[in-house]
Amino acid sequence: MAGPSGKKDKAEKAGPSGKKKKEVKKETGLGLSVKKDENFGEWYSEVCKHEMIEYYDISGCYILRPWSMAIWEIMQSFFDAEIKKMKVKNCYFPLFVSPGVLEKEKDHIEGFAPEVAWVTKSGKSDLEVPIAIRPTSETVMYPYFSKWIRGHRDLPLKLNQWCNVVRWEFSNPTPFIRSREFLWQEGHTAFATKEEADEEVLQILELYRRIYEEYLAVPVVKGMKSENEKFAGGLYTTSVEAFIPNTGRGVQGATSHCLGQNFAKMFEINYENEKGETAMVWQNSWAYSTRTIGVMIMTHGDDKGLILPPKVASVQVVVIPVPYKDANTQGIFDACTATVSTLCEAGIRAEEDLRDNYSPGWKYSNWEMKGVPLRIEIGPRDLENDQVRTVRRDNGVKEDIPRGSLGKHVQELLEKIQQNMYEVAKQKREACVEEIKTWDEFIEALNKKKLILAPWCDEEEVERDVKARTKGETGAAKTLCSPFEQPELPEGTLCFASGKPAKKWTYWGRSY
């Protein structure tokens, strides 16, 4: 039987028909060539290449294969249903933006200018006016908001689109985390009052927390971005922030922005209020992208490959026959098929792997690398005892289960796996948090790849100075977010960087 290396064995083997035949030559070299702790970048690239993505011939662009697309669709189903409960409606706006509209909001375009891709030709002819490809859709959508919003009865206007965006400028493309084209949703809403806008910002942020913690089993911190790090042209930005212990880097998981009235002013989004007066709307925009998948891979993957949380796995259980010599092979295959039927009827996403040109050991490694949460093995003894053997992907624990209670037991097991993955990830993240008070402590913690919680005076110039002083080959440190759940700040606490009175606790670190 082949082990994790995928080397073929030369023994004869029975196929689904039960007849013996010579072993078909199998693939070899299955498994990762590097360990997660030894070369994280290479490890991540290898894991992604195993059926999650395919590299494309344009740098920074990736093909999403069905294994990763299924994860996106599961998250999409959850989020789309939730925003519809909030009376948000889906729409679609064009991919192209005219330069006049794009450049209307100065701060906004300056924030995105380096990343904007332009169409300059049609065939061999130069376009009279170049056309931009959307890096985000505020400037695409808001000229039409000003057409559609006339009176207070037209508010609130709540739209969302599921689409792709293109952001061209960067030096280190990373699958899912930083790519030139990516999938996302972007919500754009307009309200009569700031209170309504403020409320929605946090409602959406809570949905983003749920995507990460309840679906992807990734712990995140909800908080406010600094003035330097907020959305260009917006009033304030909230985010959910993840942290990757192996690299000591934060990841901005998703953002929910209150745009205030800035864009309303630029695009003349005015309405007549109940008193007959002209007023300006308050706006929000919010988005999460396929970056979520990269954060999940980085958080949970191990030296065997992916580990998928059951809630987002397109295959939650794989059933593998383990026929030995002279075993009732057909009976084992039939038991595998029946087991899959039982599980599917119980609402579990299950598949059997009856391929006869791979040994059971090779299949174990292959499905482990793909991250399937639970493996079920059925061999001659299991058939005899009317049971199956389960093997968890998250911790390797094995258990024999009677086939009679399979559906309920597997459902409970998947819930335990989901919860355990979150708890393990949370413990690892919390072990990285270091609370500091001084600059020397800050530098020491940064060098140890910690997620740093520090008292800060909340001044933009001080943050810029920290960035300048920590700039190096691995990137500069910056604020990640100021958590909404603030620890107590004793009176007289000073900012770690400026020595001025501290106003809040803020997470700092290097980031993706």
Side-chain angles (χ1 to χ4, degrees), residues 7-258:
K7 290 176 183 173
K8 68 179 193 288
D9 55 47
K10 293 177 181 174
E12 287 189 331
K13 182 174 177 181
S17 63
K19 293 177 182 174
K20 288 180 185 174
K21 59 177 183 179
K22 284 195 175 177
E23 180 73 7
V24 178
K25 186 180 177 182
K26 294 186 293 296
E27 251 182 79
T28 56
L30 184 66
L32 302 179
S33 66
V34 291
K35 295 188 184 300
K36 188 176 184 180
D37 288 338
E38 290 171 6
N39 187 335
F40 185 85
E42 197 59 41
W43 169 86
Y44 179 74
S45 180
E46 278 196 36
V47 172
C48 286
K49 278 191 279 191
H50 195 80
E51 296 195 31
M52 293 293 275
I53 59 129
E54 185 67 62
Y55 281 84
Y56 195 56
D57 64 355
I58 296 172
S59 173
C61 297
Y62 307 97
I63 296 162
L64 298 189
R65 297 185 64 183
W67 203 243
S68 60
M69 198 64 197
I71 297 167
W72 181 245
E73 287 173 337
I74 288 165
M75 290 189 289
Q76 185 179 31
S77 295
F78 160 74
F79 189 78
D80 199 63
E82 290 298 319
I83 61 173
K84 280 173 178 164
K85 289 178 193 172
M86 295 168 61
K87 305 291 190 286
V88 177
K89 293 180 168 61
N90 281 330
C91 62
Y92 185 79
F93 278 74
L95 178 67
F96 303 110
V97 197
S98 68
V101 170
L102 186 67
E103 290 159 7
K104 204 161 188 174
E105 210 297 321
K106 184 173 171 289
D107 290 340
H108 178 72
I109 186 54
E110 278 181 6
F112 283 101
E115 301 177 331
V116 177
W118 294 89
V119 179
T120 58
K121 283 183 177 288
S122 168
K124 292 185 178 179
S125 308
D126 289 338
L127 292 182
E128 201 171 308
V129 179
I131 295 168
I133 300 173
R134 62 175 172 226
T136 177
S137 297
E138 281 76 8
T139 57
V140 181
M141 299 169 83
Y142 297 167
Y144 300 92
F145 276 35
S146 69
K147 280 181 71 173
W148 301 336
I149 298 169
R150 292 293 185 205
H152 62 88
R153 292 179 187 84
D154 299 324
L155 293 172
L157 178 62
K158 299 183 178 186
L159 299 180
N160 175 71
Q161 65 173 357
W162 295 92
C163 64
N164 62 341
V165 289
V166 173
R167 296 183 184 174
W168 207 258
E169 178 66 24
F170 55 80
S171 53
N172 295 307
T174 305
F176 299 113
I177 296 294
R178 190 167 286 277
S179 55
R180 286 184 165 160
E181 179 191 3
F182 53 87
L183 299 181
W184 75 348
Q185 60 69 219
E186 50 176 324
H188 295 269
T189 53
F191 300 91
T193 66
K194 182 175 185 289
E195 289 72 27
E196 291 172 283
D198 289 339
E199 183 184 6
E200 188 201 61
V201 164
L202 297 181
Q203 283 180 312
I204 293 296
L205 197 68
E206 174 60 11
L207 292 181
Y208 292 154
R209 182 202 65 78
R210 289 183 63 193
I211 284 171
Y212 274 99
E213 296 195 343
E214 294 178 13
Y215 281 78
L216 301 175
V218 173
V220 289
V221 174
K222 291 200 291 189
M224 187 78 73
K225 299 298 269 189
S226 70
E227 283 296 303
N228 282 326
E229 295 294 324
K230 76 176 184 182
F231 183 69
L235 182 62
Y236 65 84
T237 291
T238 68
S239 68
V240 288
E241 299 284 333
F243 187 76
I244 310 301
N246 295 75
T247 61
R249 288 183 183 271
V251 189
Q252 182 176 282
T255 48
S256 185
H257 317 285
C258 179

Side-chain angles (χ1 to χ4, degrees), residues 447-461:
N447 291 336
K448 290 194 295 185
K449 298 182 176 179
K450 296 294 185 179
L451 174 58
I452 302 163
L453 187 61
W456 180 39
C457 60
D458 198 17
E459 290 186 13
E460 293 176 58
E461 194 50 52

Side-chain angles (χ1 to χ4, degrees), residues 450-493:
K450 296 294 185 179
L451 174 58
I452 302 163
L453 187 61
W456 180 39
C457 60
D458 198 17
E459 290 186 13
E460 293 176 58
E461 194 50 52
V462 172
E463 182 179 1
R464 282 194 284 269
D465 185 53
V466 171
K467 263 188 178 179
R469 289 162 73 185
T470 57
K471 196 169 185 182
E473 284 182 20
T474 52
K478 62 180 185 181
T479 58
L480 302 173
C481 75
S482 297
F484 291 141
E485 291 185 12
Q486 284 277 314
E488 188 187 345
L489 188 67
E491 200 175 325
T493 303

Side-chain angles (χ1 to χ4, degrees), residues 67 310 313-320 336-353 367 372-376 406-407 410-411 414:
W67 203 243
S314 60
V315 177
Q316 296 171 313
V317 182
V318 63
V319 182
I320 296 175
C336 288
T337 305
T339 297
V340 168
S341 294
T342 299
L343 294 175
C344 289
E345 281 167 21
I348 295 159
R349 299 187 288 275
E351 286 185 11
E352 67 266 57
D353 185 349
W367 289 101
V372 171
L374 193 66
R375 179 172 82 237
I376 286 181
L406 196 59
V410 168
Q411 193 67 62
L414 292 173

